[in-house]
Amino acid sequence: MPDRSLNDSWSATARGLHWLMALLIVMQAVGGWVIKDMDSSPLKADAMTAHKSLGITLLLLLIIRLLWRWTHPAPPPPDGSKPWEVLAARLSHIALYLLMVAVPLSGWLSASTSIVPWKLWWLLPWPRIAVPSKDLHEIAEALHEGLIWAMALVLAAHVAAALYHHLVKRDPTLRRMLRGSA
């Protein structure tokens, strides 16, 4: 008889993509915050190239993650989950996925509207999705920053919910994403 606990957990691939992207998103946020306060210099230009490249890399990883998720459905909610908890989890995951698309796309728009061309990881010239424009660049930067703050709020709620499930409800929600077993 197959082990039912394996069907109630996230796969190693799903867990790996989750934690890799979580780490890279935190690195991206810290890097962006530091870069914003840097004076113009070759070091800042290189830091911006790394920031833009990591943003595009995260977008590409998200595509892989979405394809994996499409072909490998999420495990069922833990036993005893309330309907409002299941709905809240689904809505927060939808919000996170939308923001993981919107944040790098808004960054790409911001980079595109700048007069400065750039290469992905210093190697591949990256296409523009808009023409350079100072006015549009300011709007794109504001949009990018607003979406980052929205993502920070949703991520904070996501982490708080995981900790609530682990520390208060003592259900397997967090353990399933940490080690794959309920």
Side-chain angles (χ1 to χ4, degrees), residues 40-83:
S40 290
S41 68
L43 178 61
K44 182 174 184 172
D46 277 346
M48 279 304 299
T49 296
H51 182 75
K52 294 171 193 177
S53 297
L54 184 53
I56 296 299
T57 301
L58 278 162
L59 190 57
L60 297 173
L61 280 171
L62 180 63
I63 292 167
I64 293 167
R65 187 171 176 184
L66 288 171
L67 288 170
W68 183 263
R69 177 74 186 270
W70 185 42
T71 59
H72 297 79
D79 291 339
S81 295
K82 296 179 176 124

Side-chain angles (χ1 to χ4, degrees), residues 95-96 99 103 143-157:
L96 281 171
L99 287 163
V103 170
L143 175 64
H144 188 58
E145 188 169 337
L147 289 168
I148 290 166
W149 283 109
M151 181 179 259
L153 290 173
V154 176
L155 283 173

Side-chain angles (χ1 to χ4, degrees), residues 38-168:
M38 290 175 73
D39 293 328
S40 290
S41 68
L43 178 61
K44 182 174 184 172
D46 277 346
M48 279 304 299
T49 296
H51 182 75
K52 294 171 193 177
S53 297
L54 184 53
I56 296 299
T57 301
L58 278 162
L59 190 57
L60 297 173
L61 280 171
L62 180 63
I63 292 167
I64 293 167
R65 187 171 176 184
L66 288 171
L67 288 170
W68 183 263
R69 177 74 186 270
W70 185 42
T71 59
H72 297 79
D79 291 339
S81 295
K82 296 179 176 124
W84 71 266
E85 291 173 322
V86 174
L87 178 62
R90 285 194 179 129
L91 292 175
S92 69
H93 282 100
I94 289 168
L96 281 171
Y97 281 114
L98 289 173
L99 287 163
M100 285 188 287
V101 169
V103 170
L105 284 180
S106 66
W108 187 359
L109 177 63
S110 177
S112 295
T113 58
S114 168
I115 61 169
V116 180
W118 66 282
K119 293 180 179 180
L120 184 68
W121 298 114
W122 295 273
L123 300 171
L124 179 66
W126 200 250
R128 293 180 185 272
I129 55 173
V131 297
S133 163
K134 185 178 185 213
D135 292 338
L136 186 54
H137 183 70
E138 289 175 6
I139 293 167
E141 279 189 329
L143 175 64
H144 188 58
E145 188 169 337
L147 289 168
I148 290 166
W149 283 109
M151 181 179 259
L153 290 173
V154 176
L155 283 173
H158 181 73
V159 170
L163 292 174
Y164 168 77
H165 278 274
H166 189 69
L167 299 172
V168 176

Side-chain angles (χ1 to χ4, degrees), residues 19-30 54 57-58 61:
W19 291 112
L20 174 62
M21 289 188 70
L23 174 66
L24 294 177
I25 287 168
V26 169
M27 288 173 50
Q28 187 72 328
V30 171
L54 184 53
T57 301
L58 278 162
L61 280 171

